[in-house]
């Protein structure tokens, strides 16, 4: 069975400071991992995905994530937070046979001016 | 716009009523997924279709729920005899078959259901 655990339900940063959202995964297979973002009253948007190519994955809006097999982690980072980054972030693993997505509980990112 | 669309965006109903939601996927996408998201939680898988065939249903999908995808195009999700616990956001997503594990799923805006 596959699962993801987001280690923080809420993260608060000041604008211009780094962002770190933590995610650990559990998978019997070589996993495909994703980060999705959900802004209020908007649909889910893919930030980035890892599919066994480069371990450091770059996404949209300056976000990136590093796949660490030894730590079973896939943390999301951004060097400098912007007010528009305030949203709900989901770490996700996909089932290799069906493609269905298994979501973490989500991390709410608050960005203070 | 050629993204995933869902209709209606909001639905308020009384307990015991039936409701039906529609999802129109991206036209060339073979797979269509339904998820449910309750307040403060991540989306949970309900069911998925490959073309017109429904290939998997979650145990979350009780016998009051039924989904169809006639002709492999749009899909409908019906809930019969709604209960207050059915109140949630219902999300639809689509993707190509090519590589199920790495395919990006494109999500619609969702249908928010409130059962009074």
């Amino acid at each position: 069975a596959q699962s993801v655990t987001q280690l923080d339900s809420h993260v608060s940063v000041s604008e211009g400071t780094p962002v770190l959202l933590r995610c650990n995964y559990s998978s019997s297979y070589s996993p495909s991992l994703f980060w999705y973002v959900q802004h209020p009253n908007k649909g889910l948007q893919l930030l980035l995905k890892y599919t066994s190519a480069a371990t450091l994955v770059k996404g949209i809006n300056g976000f990136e994530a590093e796949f660490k097999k030894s730590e079973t982690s896939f943390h999301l980072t951004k060097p400098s937070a912007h007010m528009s980054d305030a949203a709900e972030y989901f770490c996700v693993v996909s089932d290799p046979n069906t493609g269905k997505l298994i979501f973490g509980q989500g991390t709410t990112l608050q960005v203070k001016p | 716009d050629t993204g995933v669309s869902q209709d209606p965006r909001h639905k308020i109903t009384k307990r015991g009523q039936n409701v039906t939601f529609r999802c129109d996927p991206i036209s060339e996408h073979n797979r269509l997924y339904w998820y449910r998201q309750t307040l403060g939680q991540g989306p949970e898988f309900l069911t998925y279709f490959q073309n017109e065939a429904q290939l998997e249903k979650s145990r979350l999908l009780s016998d009051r729920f039924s989904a169809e995808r006639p002709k492999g195009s749009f899909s409908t999700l019906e809930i019969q005899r709604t209960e207050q616990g059915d109140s949630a956001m219902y999300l639809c997503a689509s993707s190509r078959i090519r590589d199920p594990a790495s395919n990006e799923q494109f999500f619609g805006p969702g249908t928010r259901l409130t059962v009074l």
Side-chain angles (χ1 to χ4, degrees), chain A:
Chain A
Q2 301 186 95
S3 65
V4 289
T5 302
Q6 294 183 243
L7 302 176
D8 307 289
S9 59
H10 188 97
V11 170
S12 181
V13 302
S14 297
E15 189 175 21
T17 65
V19 175
L20 170 64
L21 305 183
R22 298 182 297 163
C23 173
N24 287 350
Y25 70 90
S26 173
S27 177
S28 307
Y29 308 92
S30 178
S32 290
L33 294 161
F34 308 79
W35 277 96
Y36 277 83
V37 62
Q38 188 174 40
H39 287 92
N41 300 315
K42 291 193 174 180
L44 285 158
Q45 182 183 19
L46 180 69
L47 277 179
L48 50 81
K49 65 180 179 183
Y50 167 77
T51 55
S52 74
T55 56
L56 183 62
V57 182
K58 294 189 184 298
I60 62 172
N61 300 333
F63 284 94
E64 60 182 39
E66 186 171 8
F67 173 75
K68 292 187 176 180
K69 186 176 180 179
S70 60
E71 299 176 9
T72 61
S73 69
F74 190 58
H75 301 335
L76 182 71
T77 60
K78 183 173 180 178
S80 176
H82 192 273
M83 295 297 292
S84 62
D85 294 328
E88 190 78 12
Y89 291 79
F90 294 99
C91 181
V92 183
V93 64
S94 70
D95 182 286
N97 297 314
T98 66
K100 70 180 180 184
L101 301 181
I102 298 122
F103 286 76
Q105 295 285 79
T107 298
T108 302
L109 177 64
Q110 179 187 23
V111 182
K112 297 177 289 186

